[in-house]
Amino acid sequence: MIKIVPLSSKNNVKGKTKITLNNIEIGGNRLTIIAGPCSVESREQIIDIAKYIKKTGGSVLRGGAFKPRTSPYSFRGLGRVALEYLLEAKKLTELPVVSEIMNTNELEYMYDYVDIFQVGSRNMYNYDLLEALGAQNKPVLLKRGLCASVEEFLLAAEYILLRGNNNVILCERGIRTFETSTRNTLDIGSIPVLKEKTHLPIIVDPSHAAGNKNYVISLTLAAIAAGADGIMLEVHNNPEKALSDGEQSLDYNMFENLIIKINETFRNIII
Ligand code: PEP
Ligand code: MN
């Protein structure tokens, strides 16, 4: 029987995969900071946040246009108009943009607006979507499914790689366990496991893991210590008024303090 060596396996390529976007490199020697609101709420909001993130040391802007929400009565994103605002924020700041794609129908339209396609946790098992993203050439940030094992996570990445797109970024965002004191349980252990198994860059999202801004700083530092190539943080100009995930969003002060803390702890690791 022929033994299949997965495309995500370290045995398949020399060195680590590095994803280059303008002047940033994800998976290189420096830590990538992806930051921004959970959802794009208005033109003013995303531009203000983007400028702040740029000034403070972030390297990629995040912002949801299409939001997968547990309740259909929650804010589900502004849709296509949010992509226009993201593009404007990108032009003003030169920050590359990552935004979530929920289904293949939006791929062609979104292609001109985003630099990285995000696949949310709920869609990690959407193999049609993964294959469609594998057949285009922009990087894909693939979030771990909320109940997915590391093996299933890597096999989901395989669907993208198999179609020819090598620019896959893995994102650990916590998994569902019996524990309810945090929104999800951040699986810090998956970071060294993934680093051993794969050449793909690993980003950690402590915001969706914690569900509470007070835990985000500790989880960020833990993720970096465990070897993450980057961090994805929810940051909002007015978290109390946020239309989604305000409880876990850092305000400007907290974001700034976190950047200082990262640099103090890990000695100028940020791009
Ligand atoms: C998000 O990053 O906006 C998000 C919805 O996260 P997740 O898919 O990890 O729940
Ligand atoms: Mn969110």
Side-chain angles (χ1 to χ4, degrees):
M1 204 176 90
I2 303 166
K3 194 173 178 307
I4 296 169
V5 181
L7 296 171
S8 61
S9 167
K10 264 194 167 166
N11 300 330
N12 239 316
V13 295
K14 267 210 193 102
K16 286 176 66 180
T17 290
K18 296 182 180 117
I19 294 170
T20 310
L21 290 165
N22 306 333
N23 53 352
I24 70 150
E25 194 178 55
I26 303 175
N29 295 329
R30 317 287 284 174
L31 187 80
T32 304
I33 302 281
I34 304 173
C38 179
S39 308
V40 176
E41 298 171 6
S42 69
R43 181 180 171 275
E44 293 66 34
Q45 175 239 24
I46 193 66
I47 288 175
D48 196 79
I49 297 174
K51 283 183 178 165
Y52 186 78
I53 282 161
K54 172 76 176 188
K55 191 175 84 184
T56 315
S59 32
V60 179
L61 177 67
R62 65 149 286 152
F66 303 99
K67 296 300 303 175
R69 302 304 301 276
T70 304
S71 165
Y73 304 110
S74 304
F75 177 64
R76 290 159 75 181
L78 296 179
R80 287 185 175 185
V81 72
L83 299 174
E84 303 287 344
Y85 301 152
L86 278 169
L87 190 61
E88 208 178 327
K90 173 188 163 162
K91 283 183 181 155
L92 285 168
T93 58
E94 289 174 8
L95 289 172
V97 161
V98 57
S99 195
E100 176 164 353
I101 177 162
M102 279 173 59
N103 67 68
T104 49
N105 301 342
E106 288 297 331
L107 203 158
E108 211 180 312
Y109 189 86
M110 278 183 86
Y111 186 88
D112 293 331
Y113 291 88
V114 302
D115 299 283
I116 304 172
F117 283 104
Q118 178 172 323
V119 176
S121 194
R122 293 162 181 81
N123 262 320
M124 190 209 82
Y125 292 108
N126 184 341
Y127 301 124
D128 283 350
L129 179 61
L130 300 179
E131 289 200 310
L133 290 166
Q136 56 82 53
N137 62 0
K138 291 207 170 173
V140 180
L141 185 144
L142 175 65
K143 292 191 121 187
R144 181 176 179 182
L146 45 157
C147 293
S149 65
V150 168
E151 192 186 357
E152 288 166 339
F153 187 21
L154 286 171
L155 287 169
E158 213 65 24
Y159 271 89
I160 304 170
L161 297 166
L162 204 50
R163 281 295 182 107
N165 186 349
N166 299 323
N167 294 324
V168 178
I169 303 156
L170 299 171
C171 179
E172 169 60 58
R173 46 76 78 200
I175 48 175
R176 185 167 282 184
T177 68
F178 59 84
E179 183 54 69
T180 53
S181 58
T182 49
R183 183 176 178 182
N184 292 287
T185 299
L186 182 61
D187 184 8
I188 285 285
S190 77
I191 304 164
V193 172
L194 287 167
K195 282 182 84 84
E196 186 181 76
K197 288 183 183 295
T198 181
H199 52 86
L200 299 172
I202 301 152
I203 298 282
V204 173
D205 170 354
S207 305
H208 289 87
N212 179 329
K213 62 181 181 313
N214 295 334
Y215 310 141
V216 167
I217 294 184
S218 303
L219 294 182
T220 299
L221 297 176
I224 300 169
D229 295 298
I231 298 293
M232 180 152 91
L233 296 157
E234 283 187 339
V235 176
H236 199 282
N237 54 343
N238 190 354
E240 285 80 46
K241 293 266 164 65
L243 297 181
S244 61
D245 287 349
E247 331 73 64
Q248 67 196 33
S249 299
L250 302 180
D251 61 24
Y252 287 176
N253 236 337
M254 287 183 94
F255 180 59
E256 213 165 307
N257 285 336
L258 176 55
I259 299 292
I260 293 168
K261 189 107 188 175
I262 293 172
N263 273 327
E264 267 172 19
T265 315
F266 299 100
R267 302 227 167 258
N268 299 317
I269 192 179
I270 297 173
I271 287 173

